[in-house]
Amino acid sequence: MTVDSPADPARGGAAMPAAFLGHGSPMNAIEHNRYTTAWQAFGRAVPRPRAILVVSAHWYINATAVTAMPRPRTIHDFYGFPQELFDVEYPAPGLPQLVEEVSEAVKPTWVGADADSWGIDHGSWSVLRHAFPDADIPVVQLSINADKPLDYHFDLGTKLASLRDSGVLVLGSGNVVHNLRGIDPRLPEDGFDWARRFDDSAKELMLHDPAGSAGLQTHGDFRNAVPTPDHFIPLLYIAGLAAASGHGTDVLVDGYSYGSLSMTAYTLDVACPGANEGSGASAELPADVPPDGTNT
């Protein structure tokens, strides 16, 4: 389902698209497969954003905050991967004034400004490196408040809709199904039955009823698919944006990795030619480090 973007008279054009990308292993940042091909197609398809606001699974703290540094550092927040991955830098500028815009958009929710503690984590740069390889668009991160219920994050997503009208691309990065303890290295491109059931239910909602996405917490497979909520919550921000727009999202690419990871990605208000032209499984995890010890 492809839907025309809502017109914005103030900008004289369409609202900026949005997306949720299933990022999988950090190694996807330096490899090429059918998922990274889809991320590249998304980056080519969207109009140039004024800024990118990323909700990454890897900034999961006890507060709602926005990065406010002019030059955010590249954070290598993982373990056990080859040096080549630690050498990656994503030197995008920040946009400190976006803190005020986010704060205004989500009132009365309080939003803090982080001037020095965070930056651009691998949940962000592993996908941005493919979608926007020049690293010349300002990147700002919005933290996931671990103290808040799922409905809070969905509602916050709906409130961010006004930012789309001022050229801000909102990007969620996580995985709909993310159970590192359940990973089976013998299944590089397959999903367990419970992972497929949950991912299919999420897909039905994201395409046709995004407002119901927070209700997935009552799904019979939720505990297996979402043992911790950090990677699932970014999806709710895009679900909120879709609900605010009055229509569903499109599937950019879908698939599974090692039984217990879903790589499904969704876009809002953009067609992405070439998204399905790639090949190859999602990148591997380190063989000598337990998956739940890598911070992926």
Side-chain angles (χ1 to χ4, degrees):
M1 175 179 65
T2 301
V3 185
D4 291 338
S5 303
D8 171 37
R11 293 182 64 220
M16 182 61 61
F20 169 84
L21 303 181
H23 65 239
S25 167
M27 289 297 291
N28 285 312
I30 57 175
E31 295 189 7
H32 298 281
N33 51 55
R34 68 189 195 90
Y35 303 107
T36 65
T37 296
W39 305 343
Q40 291 164 5
F42 169 72
R44 291 193 302 267
V46 299
R48 182 178 173 87
R50 177 170 65 93
I52 303 170
L53 179 66
V54 186
V55 182
S56 166
H58 293 279
W59 197 21
Y60 187 64
I61 60 175
N62 296 324
T64 301
V66 175
T67 53
M69 61 284 292
R71 284 288 170 186
R73 64 192 176 101
T74 302
I75 302 173
H76 301 87
D77 49 331
F78 42 72
Y79 311 94
F81 290 91
Q83 185 60 43
E84 181 184 4
L85 192 61
F86 287 91
D87 291 340
V88 172
E89 294 290 327
Y90 191 78
L95 189 67
Q97 60 265 39
L98 196 62
V99 176
E100 295 181 8
E101 297 180 46
V102 173
S103 296
E104 183 66 26
V106 304
K107 282 183 176 178
T109 301
W110 179 87
V111 177
D114 172 30
D116 54 16
S117 71
W118 204 240
I120 303 176
D121 63 50
H122 85 268
S124 296
W125 60 256
S126 66
V127 296
L128 291 175
R129 193 165 188 257
H130 291 283
F132 304 101
D134 293 336
D136 58 352
I137 300 169
V139 175
V140 173
Q141 289 202 204
L142 171 64
S143 71
I144 297 174
N145 191 329
D147 292 336
K148 300 297 185 181
L150 298 187
D151 286 340
Y152 169 91
H153 299 286
F154 172 83
D155 291 342
L156 208 58
T158 65
K159 294 177 179 178
L160 293 175
S162 62
L163 296 178
R164 297 179 62 204
D165 295 332
S166 64
V168 177
L169 189 156
V170 181
L171 180 67
S173 178
N175 292 98
V176 177
V177 176
H178 185 265
N179 186 331
L180 294 181
R181 290 181 180 269
I183 279 178
D184 186 338
R186 298 169 298 180
L187 302 172
E189 297 185 81
D190 201 0
F192 297 125
D193 288 347
W194 54 263
R196 290 178 173 274
R197 286 194 301 266
F198 187 81
D199 198 50
D200 286 346
S201 294
K203 188 178 298 179
E204 179 69 18
L205 289 170
M206 290 298 290
L207 266 60
H208 304 295
D209 182 24
S213 297
L216 284 164
Q217 61 191 309
T218 65
H219 193 283
D221 296 300
F222 183 80
R223 183 167 295 185
N224 279 331
V226 188
T228 60
D230 46 305
H231 278 69
F232 176 74
I233 287 174
L235 178 75
L236 298 180
Y237 283 82
I238 308 308
L241 289 174
S245 75
H247 56 259
T249 63
D250 296 306
V251 174
L252 176 69
V253 64
D254 58 8
Y256 301 91
S257 183
Y258 303 108
S260 61
L261 294 177
S262 162
M263 294 296 294
T264 305
Y266 297 95
T267 57
L268 180 63
D269 292 326
V270 62
C272 302
N276 295 311
E277 294 179 359
S279 63
S282 177
E284 296 182 7
L285 294 170
D288 55 349
V289 179
D292 57 344
T294 61
N295 196 23
T296 60

